[in-house]
Amino acid sequence: MCGIVGYIGKGNSVEFLLNAIEKLEYRGYDSSGIAICGDDKIKLMKKKGRISVLRKSVAVSKDFDVKKGVVNTGIAHTRWATHGKPSDVNAHPHVSQSGKIAVVHNGIIENYLELKKSLRRRKVKFLSQTDTEVISALIDSLYDGKDFLKAVRDTVNLLEGSFALAILCSDFPDTIIAVKKDSPLIIGFGDEENYIASDVAAFVDKTKDICRLEECEIAYFKGDKVKFYDFNGKELDKKVTHIDWKIGSSTKEGFEHFMMKEIMEQPEAIKETIAPRIVDNKISIKNLDELVESVNKIYIVACGSSYHVGAAAKYSFEKMTGITTIVDLASEFRYRIPAIDEKTLVIIISQSGETADSLAALRESKRRGAKTLAIVNVVGSSIASEADHVIYTWAGLEIAVATTKAYSAQLAVMYMLILYISSRVGKISDDIYREYVKHLLSLPDFVQKMLEMKEKIYDMAKKYKDKDNVFFIGRGVDYASCREGSLKFKELSYLHSEAYAAGELKHGTISLIEQGTLVIAILTDKKLFEKTLSNIREVQARGATVIAIANEEKLNSVDLEVDEVVPIPNVPKMMLPSLTVIPLQLFAYYFALLNDRDIDKPRNLAKSVTVE
Ligand code: M6R
């Protein structure tokens, strides 16, 4: 969704800002804009459409020739329309009527109509349909010509809703103010220059020393200094965190798309996530004992693919720990009254750590006294900061909207968690535990082997690229993989697909199967193999074309008689989803590639969903 960046330093602010918003393109946007402070005025450019359009206009404008040797400040934004259609005028930054104050904003101002009305009474004119424009107008109306910081503080205390802001004032060309409430904002500390962004991807190539603003905090940058305040004006002491992402960068490194680069990074992402947590062949996760003690129920709550990780893990969680495990969508969980108390462990899974529904579910769980554990990829994100405990997935920066390596790293954490808890509650013998740990350590190699099937999957996608409807069927843990496969296919291909529990087909959905319908059947669970095979025969009898993703060992004894077969090595059942997902990701990728889709930034989607 929307992206904010800010720059303060003696370098070329314009170059930094344009490059930085390009790094946020993956989040989804429909317009962009930039404002810098220079010659005692705000210089502004905003354009509907791609950043390349903005770039062209900036390149031919004299306003954006940056002076050397002085402190340069600037802010920029990518907008994903909420209030008002995508247009030049609705794009950010929004500049106040006097031309003094420029604001970029992520989030939604809920009382903007009320504020607009009262500002109109004071003859303030508005140009856009956005909620954001009231912020610049309000700051300007509260500014006494001297104290910029006070005007911002007084303004944010009047705003209701969610807002991450970066603000310029033409009277202070060496100053930027950043504010955070319910929408992420991160400060990056560079070499005699500092950065602001709603997502570290914007500046991770410049610095890995960061500081996240917490709720209701203000960062005040002047020259190369920065001070932090709360909304009451109290100065705060904040620590710098070093993000230690070993893999992933904000460049494609020779790949055509970030998605393919990230698919290929999966063995490494799993290894980075698992290896540091296995000490002397034992899973070691700090401070977890207390959290899992006396737990009698587990809720796994998440959205999208992260939810599918929970759905896949549930089977082994319940079987191996003996603890009732319920998986729920965060958007549903937050508005019902789940039976949770201090004996419940709520596990929130999120790549971004900023998903609005997941964050709300976490807060609701804490309010009800549950213990909370977050599995998060982005260090220091809101969910990571607010949960009682966090286990990071060390997948590194993930740029493609369709998650791949973070999904795989999340699964790896779930396997460790299952083993950890089942051993704590005495449900697993030492021998079996050791066997599992061995398998866990070899998981990256198995995933690597799956990736070597790339060409085979490409050929399959080529053969079926004109299909306009795909069904994914499977049972048990394979049904969970179907849901992820179907989501990947949908988001990338823009075509209809459906994930169905194979045993449910006969209860209605089989009416949709006709001559040539493509069915991807998953049969990796040996125990359910024959059952799903019967369902394959049923769809074949109605003309379906079938691709089977099937257990390799079983394939040695059974002739599947389907159109295509993708063999899956016989790893422990718990870990099967990690292998199954690879051909599903590759199929979705190649299908989209062959149909000329926008792979890294599929239409209508955003990487981090910060509104509900
Ligand atoms: O950042 P999160 O893991 O909380 O995001 C949840 C979903 O929005 C996300 O998994 C989404 O479904 C992906 N685009 C799927 O590829």
Side-chain angles (χ1 to χ4, degrees), residues 302-308 348-356 358 375 383 398 400-404 406-407 410 484 487-488 491 605-609:
C303 301
S305 292
S306 297
Y307 166 77
H308 296 151
I348 306 279
I349 310 177
S350 176
Q351 186 285 129
S352 61
E354 301 294 349
T355 302
S358 304
I375 297 171
I383 293 174
E398 191 179 66
V401 166
T403 180
T404 52
Y407 177 87
Q410 288 167 344
E484 176 57 9
L487 179 69
K488 282 280 97 73
E491 60 180 341
L605 297 180
K607 179 72 179 162
S608 170
V609 183

Side-chain angles (χ1 to χ4, degrees), residues 375-395:
I375 297 171
V376 174
N377 195 44
V378 177
V379 178
S381 53
S382 303
I383 293 174
S385 315
E386 291 188 30
D388 296 324
H389 191 84
V390 55
I391 304 179
Y392 283 112
T393 46
W394 296 119

Side-chain angles (χ1 to χ4, degrees), residues 543-555:
T545 301
V546 176
I547 298 176
I549 298 178
N551 186 291
E552 201 171 51
E553 198 182 284
K554 276 286 196 181
L555 285 174

